[in-house]
Amino acid sequence: MNKHAVREQGAVQLYLNPRCVQDSQEYDASLQSILSVAAYEQAQASIVQWPGYAPTPLRHLPGLAAQMKVGGVYYKDEAGRFGLGSFKALGGAYAVNRLLLRQLQAHTGNASLTLDDLKNPAYKDFIAGLTVTCATDGNHGRSVAWGAKNAGCQCVIYIHEHVSTGREQAIASYGAKVVRVPGNYDDSVRQAAEDAKEHGYFVVSDTSYPGYMDVPKDVMQGYTVMVQETLDQIASDKPVTHVFIQGGVGGLAAAVCAHMWERLGAQRPRLIVVEPNKADCLFQSAVQGKPVTVTGDLNTVMAGLACGEISLLAWEILDPGTYAYMTLEDDAALQTMRRLARADKGDAPIVAGESAVAGVAACMAACEQADWRQALGIDESSQIMFFASEGDTDAELYQRIVGMSAKEVLAQEPA
């Protein structure tokens, strides 16, 4: 079998990236111009000052590790991040602040202003007259709305027809105007861009495209705060060997890849990017060796990953940095949510949303196949890392899927 052919096992697919430079290339200056440790330090210095900041927990799941026959499982639990329920709080809100700072610097002609100056009462009216906007499947829009409320500017968020009412209401609770448009996520992106041009809104998107690069860099750089927290929490005698990470437009995966690559060099873990099979733009791009747009309704229960177009900046990092790509069907995500919610095999119960479990579901599937384990280099000593990107960001939907509320899940005693 061709090492780099697409492998299929039922509805699950695996593709080993022939362009991955896992052991042969340093994280060079061209990549540092996108994401870097130096820029992380600026983001970290700002974010740790936000009210309510605290590192999210890194959990150990020995029961899941035993089930997959690996050495250990690390699970970065983002459900409690700033009360927003997802890691997105780090990216969207930070990008809002950076955008407002650039506008303030241009308005005043003072390039030496810093993020701290956004709190200066002298600039309150100017900031209040600005409007930020974005399209979202839920979590990014919630973060942008929260960041806008905290900064004191206006906010308009666009959602598509498949976004749940619960997620719409969560965004509106931060004072944002929410506009629902027909079609899929990419349709809402286009509508947000058109209206921004007409009304003078400032787009805060996690997707980069020609002519729009600065804001997505800030979004991804915010995510690296989570990655460094994780590196600080990992036991030094048990370094991570593999990271299974959700895809989407690629921003989260690129942040994880970039920060670990620059920090750890050749010792960085192998990165496996996971997507729904109904929205697999990164997988298809990897197979074809160039950015590919996936069309259709993209309607997957993994709502945060329902993206048909990749972020070009993320692709520049992921194309050489990703070891493999996987896709899976919705049912695998639903089963994994229920598996994590059970206090099973000695593991504490975990509240994980639909998009949070993609990496776990893919790893479980891969570990069931001896040839896939071998292809990915997974054995009984492997230390697997998951970034659980969200909790029950739609509480009603979560209860329907799992059969318990988040409160009921966490009230269980480990078996």
Side-chain angles (χ1 to χ4, degrees), residues 91-109:
Y94 179 64
V96 167
N97 287 345
R98 292 277 297 170
L99 185 149
L100 294 177
L101 175 60
R102 286 191 288 271
Q103 295 304 312
L104 184 59
Q105 290 173 335
H107 173 70
T108 61

Side-chain angles (χ1 to χ4, degrees), residues 232-274:
D232 292 341
Q233 293 167 322
I234 290 171
S236 59
D237 61 333
K238 294 182 178 179
V240 173
T241 60
H242 298 78
V243 175
F244 285 74
I245 189 69
Q246 295 83 298
V249 300
L252 169 61
V256 172
C257 181
H259 198 75
M260 288 189 166
W261 191 349
E262 188 171 4
R263 283 292 200 201
L264 304 177
Q267 302 304 311
R268 66 189 176 99
R270 292 180 172 181
L271 188 81
I272 298 91
V273 174
V274 183

Side-chain angles (χ1 to χ4, degrees), residues 27-192:
Y27 191 78
D28 61 26
S30 66
L31 298 177
Q32 289 173 11
S33 68
I34 302 171
L35 294 174
S36 68
V37 168
Y40 148 77
E41 290 172 350
Q42 295 180 13
Q44 193 264 355
S46 175
I47 290 171
V48 297
Q49 298 181 53
W50 296 356
Y53 170 78
T56 51
L58 183 67
R59 306 193 188 282
H60 298 265
L61 301 179
L64 185 59
Q67 181 179 339
M68 297 192 299
K69 298 180 182 178
V70 299
V73 166
Y74 293 106
Y75 184 95
K76 182 65 166 171
D77 190 348
E78 288 293 298
R81 182 71 73 179
F82 288 113
L84 270 71
S86 90
F87 80 103
K88 292 279 189 176
L90 295 167
Y94 179 64
V96 167
N97 287 345
R98 292 277 297 170
L99 185 149
L100 294 177
L101 175 60
R102 286 191 288 271
Q103 295 304 312
L104 184 59
Q105 290 173 335
H107 173 70
T108 61
N110 184 356
S112 66
L113 293 177
T114 69
L115 289 172
D116 289 336
D117 290 303
L118 295 178
K119 305 170 187 175
N120 189 330
Y123 305 127
K124 180 179 179 180
D125 290 344
F126 173 75
I127 292 173
L130 302 178
T131 300
V132 295
T133 189
C134 74
T136 186
D137 288 304
N139 291 339
H140 178 67
R142 192 181 306 194
S143 176
V144 170
W146 178 67
K149 180 180 180 180
N150 292 341
C153 67
Q154 304 300 308
C155 183
V156 180
I157 303 295
Y158 291 77
I159 60 175
H160 57 87
E161 62 187 47
H162 300 302
V163 174
S164 70
T165 302
R167 291 193 169 99
E168 177 182 2
Q169 293 171 344
I171 295 167
S173 71
Y174 294 106
K177 177 183 177 183
V178 182
V179 179
R180 188 181 289 270
V181 301
N184 60 30
Y185 170 76
D186 296 311
D187 294 317
S188 65
V189 169
R190 284 186 281 271
Q191 188 64 56

Side-chain angles (χ1 to χ4, degrees), residues 34-35 86-96 99 102 133-144 157-158 185-186 188-190 192 202-210 212-223 246-255 281-282 303-315 317-318 355 389:
I34 302 171
L35 294 174
S86 90
F87 80 103
K88 292 279 189 176
L90 295 167
Y94 179 64
V96 167
L99 185 149
R102 286 191 288 271
T133 189
C134 74
T136 186
D137 288 304
N139 291 339
H140 178 67
R142 192 181 306 194
S143 176
V144 170
I157 303 295
Y158 291 77
Y185 170 76
D186 296 311
S188 65
V189 169
R190 284 186 281 271
F202 295 93
V203 177
V204 182
S205 174
D206 56 357
T207 303
S208 58
Y209 45 85
Y212 185 78
M213 298 291 181
D214 289 342
V215 172
K217 285 182 185 179
D218 292 334
V219 172
M220 292 190 292
Q221 203 68 69
Y223 299 160
Q246 295 83 298
V249 300
L252 169 61
C281 55
L282 289 165
L305 310 180
C307 309
E309 298 181 26
I310 67 175
S311 169
L312 296 182
L313 286 175
W315 175 250
I317 292 169
L318 293 175
S355 297
S389 52

Side-chain angles (χ1 to χ4, degrees), residues 284-331:
Q284 296 301 333
S285 297
V287 170
Q288 297 192 35
K290 61 182 180 181
V292 169
T293 298
V294 174
T295 58
D297 64 13
L298 311 177
N299 189 17
T300 168
V301 71
M302 292 169 272
L305 310 180
C307 309
E309 298 181 26
I310 67 175
S311 169
L312 296 182
L313 286 175
W315 175 250
E316 289 187 38
I317 292 169
L318 293 175
D319 189 41
T322 303
Y323 189 81
Y325 296 82
M326 291 185 67
T327 68
L328 69 161
E329 62 182 351
D330 281 1
D331 189 57

